[in-house]
Amino acid sequence: MVNVVITPTVANLLKERGITEANVKETVDYGESTKDKAVLPAEKLNWAVKRIGAATFAVQYKDSGEVTTAFSYKVALKAITDFVSEDKTDWIYAKTNEQMYRIRADMEYIGVVRAASAWGCKSSPTAFIEEFMAIKTIAIAQMLLEKKKGA
Amino acid sequence: MGEVIGETKSLCPVCLSLVEAQRVVENGQVFLVKECPDHGLFKVPVWDDARYYSEVEHYDHPKVVPQVFKEWEKDAPSKMWDPSQQLQSTCLTVVEVTDGCNLKCPYCFASSDSSKMTNLDMETLRGMFTAVSTKVKKPTVVQISGGEPTIRNDLPEIVAMAKGLKIDFIQLNTNGVRLAKEDGYAGVMKKAGVDSVYLGFDTFDREVWKKICGVDLLDLKLKAVENCRRAGLPIELVPKIIPGLNVDQIGKIIEFAKKNIGIIKGVHFQPISYFGRVPAEPKDENYITIPSLLREIERQTGGEITPDDFIPTGCADVHCDTKCFGFVSEGRFVSLTKMSGKFSPDLDITRTVREGVYGSWGNILAKEAGLLDGDQPMSDKDCGCGTWMGLVKDLTLNALTISAMHFQDAWNIDYGRLRNCCIHEVMPDGRFVPFCLFNASDVRGRAPFRELWCAQNRK
């Protein structure tokens, strides 16, 4: 297992985003124990994703355990629907050592299902949604839906 | 007298002399009380909810000391104004291209009609637009106004000149008569560079149109909206709200905006201000203040939109305006205002407001969602129908802003508010004047800064 290290800068980021250290540790532990994670060998970087309660947490961390970023989103994966194998990324799926590429996944939130773009591969059940998508598009979409449903 | 909550300066509505004034709370309302040594005591309602008056101060925002008023220091009309007291830079400029009009409304800020025909020449206008593009930070927002600017056949050339001089966003302030009557005119305006239309739209009641504008304009207004839709020219509806005439139309106007979302981007209510041409001197019951307007919005929308959905922008004085931003979905207005909370003290609020006008709030939300970020992948499969990005895109296209700004007249002008003014009229000589001061007129309708505008044009 990896010892999770959270610097003061990352601690502030977690606080801004409402993510606890426990969420981070549980996500990293899951990725390490199952190898259901993505790795970037050249950068010695890891990317673990875990659904905890009503949210999905994503943590990127170095081999040393130092967390570089963490983010979360409420949309839940329903199904991976499309594989765009020609749009590749340097991230590798750790369990099968398969290079990942662009996928499209149906994600659901309060009864609304929409497609999101992510990284993945045929051997991975996990959709690795990028940070910008999670903290921008999906965050705004979630908020708009919440407001709409609450109106 | 009630409780004095502040000292300020104001104007005598008879002679326009600067006089000392007090803000006074009486029976839960805020009044401006002042005395002119020559013309006596005046007491005018300015805000009909004293508790809310102090609550909105939470939204005040640091101002940026302007440089544009230094040019007045030598020859400002000192009886009315000390330019060195201004505290806020420019967020929006108004350029009046004519003082003539094709209507003669009983209520008119500019006292315009067809007997007036002072059209600023192109060289003067070039100087005014240049003043804006050199003195105001980007994005520059200009409202082309008058009188009625569309009476000028060279208006497309004027707009094109402004765009050529790097004015980023041009809003056309119009009664819509020519937009309605002349097929293709909306397209001509759009092609010239007009980015949106600021369309007077006071009521759905034909008899009330006759009282406010002297003629039933309803069909013309609706035709103007349709012609703008055909041309893809966005509209902001601008109802002036006059007690006793069209307060009951507030809900209908909002409903009309919702039904025409996509082409109508906003409704900007203007509680009546008594400058320019007005039928009579105002009494207390002739004013509707911002809190009353918000309560009417709540009542007439069945609670769909509440006063709690509105906050001042904090760009001008917090008592000058209020704004609610949201989107229309399945026929309902969904407010997003409070998601933004109070702005950070480090924010350049005038820039934020300019960007808001320039980009519309829908675009700002889209930008926040990464839709307008050129570095991110944007294939059709990523942002088309059925995607999360597509959902944000659809909802932001239905963005609607509902706002209100209560301009000050010589009866209720509070120089404490005037100091924070961010809407500046551009004079023919390129100098800037706070909007309410430019329009301030006495009981006979005489407006010194408007007279100066005419005098400068004749030179």
Side-chain angles (χ1 to χ4, degrees):
Chain A
M1 283 300 174
V2 156
N3 256 350
V4 167
V5 174
I6 293 172
T7 62
T9 307
V10 170
N12 277 339
L13 182 72
L14 297 184
K15 192 174 170 189
E16 270 172 31
R17 293 180 176 177
I19 298 172
T20 66
E21 288 192 21
N23 296 146
V24 169
K25 195 164 187 317
E26 186 175 339
T27 303
V28 170
D29 284 348
Y30 170 78
E32 288 299 304
S33 61
T34 62
K35 298 302 175 204
D36 181 15
K37 64 170 184 172
V39 295
L40 203 58
E43 313 274 336
K44 293 188 169 53
L45 217 48
N46 302 265
W47 185 354
V49 174
K50 187 175 192 284
R51 186 86 184 165
I52 304 171
T56 300
F57 294 86
V59 182
Q60 291 182 358
Y61 56 101
K62 296 180 182 174
D63 285 351
S64 61
E66 183 188 327
V67 174
T68 56
T69 190
F71 50 94
S72 69
Y73 41 89
K74 297 174 194 172
V75 296
L77 176 66
K78 280 189 77 71
I80 295 173
T81 58
D82 195 13
F83 300 88
V84 188
S85 53
E86 58 271 19
D87 185 1
K88 289 181 169 40
T89 173
D90 291 335
W91 288 94
I92 308 270
Y93 184 56
K95 196 181 250 185
T96 58
N97 218 31
E98 189 181 345
Q99 186 171 18
M100 300 206 299
Y101 39 83
R102 178 75 56 202
I103 65 169
R104 290 199 177 85
D106 278 351
M107 313 289 289
E108 187 263 345
Y109 183 55
I110 39 178
V112 174
V113 178
R114 291 282 188 278
S117 173
W119 298 121
C121 59
K122 287 200 170 147
S123 57
S124 164
T126 301
F128 290 85
I129 290 182
E130 290 172 276
E131 186 170 10
F132 84 91
M133 175 73 81
I135 65 172
K136 284 195 166 195
T137 312
I138 287 181
I140 294 282
Q142 284 166 180
M143 181 272 296
L144 290 173
L145 270 183
E146 285 161 7
K147 286 277 182 180
K148 188 180 159 187
K149 295 286 182 185
Chain B
M1 194 160 78
E3 180 196 354
V4 175
I5 61 168
E7 307 279 342
T8 183
K9 292 191 192 307
S10 183
L11 291 175
C12 168
V14 180
C15 64
L16 296 183
S17 293
L18 208 52
V19 296
E20 299 298 319
Q22 293 178 319
R23 303 179 195 111
V24 176
V25 173
E26 231 176 68
N27 299 322
Q29 296 189 56
V30 182
F31 292 85
L32 194 73
V33 180
K34 55 194 176 178
E35 187 164 10
C36 173
D38 297 322
H39 300 106
L41 186 73
F42 299 90
K43 180 180 162 193
V44 186
V46 295
W47 196 271
D48 70 340
D49 184 332
R51 188 174 64 175
Y52 187 39
Y53 187 85
S54 65
E55 279 174 5
V56 291
E57 285 170 13
H58 165 76
Y59 291 99
D60 196 9
H61 197 278
K63 304 292 186 272
V64 178
V65 176
Q67 304 302 310
V68 291
F69 299 112
K70 285 184 185 297
E71 296 162 2
W72 285 100
E73 276 166 12
K74 290 182 190 152
D75 62 351
S78 56
K79 197 174 83 161
M80 285 177 76
W81 182 44
D82 178 359
S84 70
Q85 295 298 303
Q86 293 306 115
L87 294 174
Q88 180 61 303
S89 299
T90 310
C91 76
L92 184 145
T93 50
V94 180
V95 172
E96 294 189 7
V97 300
T98 180
D99 64 357
C101 187
N102 46 15
L103 294 173
K104 188 176 179 178
C105 301
Y107 293 85
C108 177
F109 285 5
S111 303
S112 284
D113 59 43
S114 58
S115 69
K116 294 184 175 178
M117 209 46 74
T118 304
N119 287 345
L120 299 188
D121 60 41
M122 293 299 268
E123 189 190 331
T124 301
L125 288 168
R126 176 177 294 277
M128 293 163 82
F129 292 131
T130 302
V132 174
S133 60
T134 54
K135 293 177 189 175
V136 181
K137 289 184 185 175
K138 286 184 120 18
T140 44
V141 179
V142 167
Q143 186 182 97
I144 290 185
S145 184
E148 170 53 48
T150 63
I151 65 171
R152 291 190 66 155
N153 290 329
D154 58 353
L155 187 60
E157 286 75 34
I158 293 170
V159 171
M161 176 171 68
K163 282 289 184 177
L165 291 167
K166 311 291 182 211
I167 301 297
D168 294 299
F169 187 90
I170 293 180
Q171 192 176 61
L172 176 64
N173 185 341
T174 176
N175 57 26
V177 169
R178 194 164 179 179
L179 284 170
K181 286 184 170 177
E182 193 172 314
D183 275 345
Y185 187 72
V188 167
M189 284 289 99
K190 185 169 180 193
K191 194 173 170 191
V194 168
D195 295 290
S196 86
V197 167
Y198 196 74
L199 177 68
F201 199 106
D202 301 333
T203 180
F204 283 92
D205 186 318
R206 294 180 187 276
E207 292 307 309
V208 172
W209 271 119
K210 291 175 189 171
K211 289 175 183 166
I212 296 178
C213 289
V215 62
D216 173 8
L217 290 176
L218 181 60
D219 293 332
L220 274 176
K221 297 287 183 177
L222 295 175
K223 189 83 198 313
V225 170
E226 282 317 302
N227 287 348
C228 286
R229 189 200 310 278
R230 264 198 279 280
L233 193 49
I235 298 168
E236 186 167 10
L237 300 179
V238 189
K240 58 180 170 294
I241 300 299
I242 306 170
L245 286 183
N246 64 344
V247 173
D248 65 338
Q249 298 290 300
I250 289 169
K252 289 179 187 169
I253 292 170
I254 292 174
E255 195 59 32
F256 179 71
K258 283 163 56 184
K259 289 197 166 112
N260 290 278
I261 197 67
I263 198 62
I264 293 178
K265 301 293 184 189
V267 183
H268 185 63
F269 291 101
Q270 291 181 351
I272 187 70
S273 304
Y274 291 93
F275 45 60
R277 184 167 56 235
V278 295
E281 284 178 37
K283 298 184 175 48
D284 285 7
E285 58 267 27
N286 298 132
Y287 282 101
I288 177 167
T289 64
I290 285 177
S292 288
L293 179 78
L294 297 185
R295 290 196 297 273
E296 281 297 326
I297 288 174
E298 180 175 29
R299 189 179 69 79
Q300 295 185 35
T301 62
E304 186 175 308
I305 306 166
T306 69
D308 203 43
D309 292 319
F310 289 81
I311 59 172
T313 57
C315 186
D317 188 272
V318 290
H319 303 106
C320 284
D321 74 351
T322 192
K323 187 170 276 192
C324 167
F325 154 57
F327 62 94
V328 179
S329 175
E330 296 167 1
R332 283 190 65 82
F333 179 80
V334 180
S335 167
L336 298 174
T337 316
K338 287 295 167 70
M339 78 166 190
S340 59
K342 190 170 184 302
F343 290 116
S344 154
D346 299 325
L347 187 73
D348 179 348
I349 188 69
T350 58
R351 186 191 172 98
T352 301
V353 170
R354 290 196 303 278
E355 284 177 346
V357 174
Y358 174 57
S360 90
W361 289 102
N363 280 357
I364 289 176
L365 197 62
K367 192 176 169 186
E368 279 296 305
L371 271 164
L372 300 179
D373 187 339
D375 292 337
Q376 305 307 334
M378 285 297 142
S379 74
D380 285 344
K381 281 198 170 180
D382 289 332
C383 61
C385 179
T387 67
W388 285 103
M389 232 177 230
L391 175 82
V392 175
K393 199 169 143 188
D394 288 343
L395 291 176
T396 55
L397 282 175
N398 291 340
L400 181 68
T401 303
I402 301 172
S403 54
M405 179 162 261
H406 195 176
F407 296 121
Q408 304 186 92
D409 53 42
W411 277 268
N412 61 18
I413 191 166
D414 178 337
Y415 272 56
R417 278 176 57 181
L418 186 75
R419 294 178 78 191
N420 295 319
C421 182
C422 62
I423 297 178
H424 300 151
E425 190 90 21
V426 186
M427 297 294 285
D429 66 4
R431 291 187 287 184
F432 289 20
V433 181
F435 182 82
C436 294
L437 196 66
F438 179 81
N439 287 294
S441 55
D442 63 20
V443 291
R444 291 157 297 179
R446 196 185 133 254
F449 276 96
R450 282 201 171 274
E451 290 176 354
L452 186 58
W453 182 95
C454 286
Q456 285 184 359
N457 188 54
R458 281 193 289 273
K459 276 183 187 169

